[in-house]
Amino acid sequence: MITKRDLYEIHSEKICPYTGMASPEFAPLSAGISYRDPYYHIRRFNGDHYVFECVLQGTGYVEFNGTLTRLTAGDAYILHPCTFHHYYSDHNDPWVKIWFNGQGNLISHLLSDYQLGFNCCVRNFWKSDYLMQILQKLEKEPSLNKNELALLLHQHIIQFSEQLNGLQTDTSAPQIMKTYIEQNLTAPLNIANIAAQVHLSNSRAIHLFKETFHMTPYHYYLSRKLAIAQDLLRSTEMSIQEISDLLGFPDYRHFTSLFKRWTGVTPSWFRNDLSTRDDYVKPLPPA
């Protein structure tokens, strides 16, 4: 378990490698924490993996796309393979940062979907929870089922994308509910759970959410779960039962029925049809 005290100790780096089953679709490599090392630096001219990092303390620098950026506590960045990047700690105030490295088509597809298909930084991110969960899970069980890690990484990417695009500045009730839904996609949510986040009645929460996003909170919740299901069907070798279980559907039949209502086809047909390289965007029917 990583404690607050660990962050103040002077070490070089804590690395937790992934030793479980990997595939071309998703291959976790390792996660870790880089401690206060004034000589820390990484330089890659043509890397072969994705890098997700959050600065917890101190100062460092990241160079990519011909630009050098100074980073401090709370900042985060994503680096892509096959690009030049150089990142290093400040000599006088070396950083502490948490990171995850991975490969695979699923990461590429998610970053593209969330408009992060490039090396990028975000200021005042302050959301390292999902990377911390990945690290803690690998520390406890290095051969963990990679699907658990994929979902945590997906949530991190969602948060990063929202912050980069300025959505985090919206503290209205509809946006708070939307963010809560995004962060709990595998949980068995209902309208009471969602409305409680903004201290509104169920009917008032539904009205405000629908007024802003043109669908009910529950319809949005289902649409996001099914969008992830499409990603997993298209980009992984997980069975339909595994996807149903991973996304928290009550049972296989419920998932299959709901998926067909959303896309017009069964999960099996969706996976086998080459035209599903583009998402189906058919709206959910009225509740």
Side-chain angles (χ1 to χ4, degrees):
M1 179 66 67
I2 300 158
T3 66
K4 189 172 181 180
R5 180 180 178 182
D6 291 332
L7 303 181
Y8 292 92
E9 295 179 359
I10 299 178
H11 297 294
S12 175
E13 198 158 32
K14 175 175 189 151
I15 300 175
C16 295
Y18 174 73
T19 61
M21 296 293 292
S23 69
E25 286 74 29
F26 182 54
L29 298 178
S30 58
I33 286 187
S34 303
Y35 293 97
R36 293 184 178 277
D37 179 359
Y39 302 104
Y40 177 96
H41 75 93
I42 300 290
R43 188 194 303 267
R44 296 189 185 92
F45 290 92
N46 193 24
D48 64 354
H49 61 272
Y50 294 91
V51 176
F52 300 84
E53 306 211 342
C54 293
V55 180
L56 303 177
Q57 296 176 11
T59 304
Y61 303 87
V62 60
E63 179 185 0
F64 58 78
N65 301 337
T67 301
L68 180 65
T69 302
R70 181 176 181 269
L71 301 176
T72 57
D75 298 341
Y77 55 93
I78 298 174
L79 302 175
H80 286 246
C82 303
T83 63
F84 169 79
H85 43 261
H86 180 205
Y87 48 101
Y88 53 95
S89 63
D90 183 89
H91 285 288
N92 298 317
D93 182 26
W95 59 13
V96 176
K97 60 183 179 65
I98 187 167
W99 51 267
F100 169 76
N101 294 338
Q103 298 171 319
N105 298 328
L106 180 61
I107 300 178
S108 174
H109 187 75
L110 287 174
L111 292 177
S112 176
D113 282 353
Y114 288 98
Q115 301 179 337
L116 299 173
F118 50 89
N119 295 329
C120 49
C121 297
V122 64
R123 298 288 190 183
N124 298 312
F125 183 58
W126 294 113
K127 297 180 182 73
S128 60
D129 290 354
Y130 290 115
L131 293 187
M132 188 67 76
Q133 288 182 56
I134 289 174
L135 176 59
Q136 290 172 340
K137 284 180 177 294
L138 286 181
E139 183 179 25
K140 183 177 180 180
E141 186 181 349
S143 60
L144 181 75
N145 187 319
K146 68 180 186 298
N147 298 329
E148 293 188 43
L149 303 180
L151 276 181
L152 291 172
L153 182 62
H154 192 158
Q155 297 299 326
H156 176 75
I157 289 170
I158 288 172
Q159 289 188 329
F160 193 101
S161 176
E162 289 184 341
Q163 183 120 349
L164 189 66
N165 291 291
L167 297 180
Q168 79 288 351
T169 60
D170 185 352
T171 57
S172 64
Q175 184 59 49
I176 291 172
M177 289 188 284
K178 181 174 180 287
T179 299
Y180 176 74
I181 292 169
E182 290 280 8
Q183 294 176 355
N184 293 275
L185 290 174
T186 62
L189 295 186
N190 57 42
I191 185 56
N193 303 139
I194 298 167
Q197 305 308 307
V198 287
H199 309 290
L200 295 174
S201 68
N202 293 355
S203 59
R204 183 59 178 164
I206 291 171
H207 173 77
L208 289 177
F209 194 96
K210 192 170 183 179
E211 188 176 58
T212 301
F213 300 113
H214 311 293
M215 66 177 72
T216 67
Y218 192 64
H219 276 198
Y220 181 73
Y221 167 64
L222 291 180
S223 72
R224 291 302 305 131
K225 286 169 79 78
L226 291 170
I228 295 174
Q230 290 185 50
D231 282 337
L232 296 174
L233 286 166
R234 185 171 42 213
S235 305
T236 76
E237 297 176 351
M238 292 173 62
S239 71
I240 295 171
Q241 181 69 63
E242 287 175 327
I243 293 172
S244 175
D245 293 343
L246 190 65
L247 293 177
F249 286 99
D251 55 60
Y252 175 90
R253 289 184 179 180
H254 178 78
F255 168 62
T256 300
S257 174
L258 192 60
F259 190 93
K260 187 171 182 179
R261 288 174 64 200
W262 169 251
T263 65
V265 299
T266 65
S268 298
W269 195 95
F270 181 92
R271 166 168 275 168
N272 294 328
D273 182 23
L274 293 178
S275 70
T276 62
R277 294 182 185 279
D278 296 319
D279 281 347
Y280 286 80
V281 292
K282 180 179 177 181
L284 283 170

